[in-house]
Amino acid sequence: MSFEFSKARFLDVIRMIEDYRLDIRTVTMGISLIGCTRPTTEATAQAVYDRVMERARDLVPVCEGIERELGIPIVNKRISVSPSRW
């Protein structure tokens, strides 16, 4: 399967972006919290915070780079977490 764009297809995409306000609705980053369980609630909360901050610190800058590269706005950037095993 080829993903080469002809000039006409490329112009069609540009028209869709301009005329129909084409955007990327949401980018979701999934983060597993498995392994964040600690002996105390406070320690577990800190481990969750640390994991999310470490893994998602570049989410917005990466999305902004994609927006610039593609010329299409990304409306929402979000994080989804899976629960750890208790």
Side-chain angles (χ1 to χ4, degrees):
M1 176 181 242
S2 175
F3 289 102
E4 292 182 35
F5 279 96
S6 67
K7 185 177 180 179
R9 275 193 73 167
F10 183 77
L11 292 174
D12 283 343
V13 170
I14 298 297
R15 268 192 291 279
M16 283 191 298
I17 293 168
E18 291 174 348
D19 295 345
Y20 300 108
R21 298 181 187 264
L22 177 68
D23 59 33
I24 297 172
R25 189 57 36 188
T26 303
V27 170
T28 303
M29 178 179 198
I31 300 174
S32 172
L33 299 181
I34 293 175
C36 289
T37 305
R38 301 291 186 271
T40 67
T41 302
E42 293 79 13
T44 299
Q46 186 63 52
V48 168
Y49 176 83
D50 292 344
R51 168 91 39 103
V52 171
M53 294 305 290
E54 174 192 339
R55 302 281 166 88
R57 78 172 155 248
D58 295 326
L59 178 61
V60 171
V62 167
C63 287
E64 289 170 347
I66 292 168
E67 288 176 318
R68 282 190 302 275
E69 183 179 337
L70 299 179
I72 300 173
I74 298 173
V75 178
N76 299 298
K77 296 98 178 159
R78 67 183 185 172
I79 298 168
S80 172
V81 296
S82 68
S84 66
R85 291 184 211 135
W86 298 101

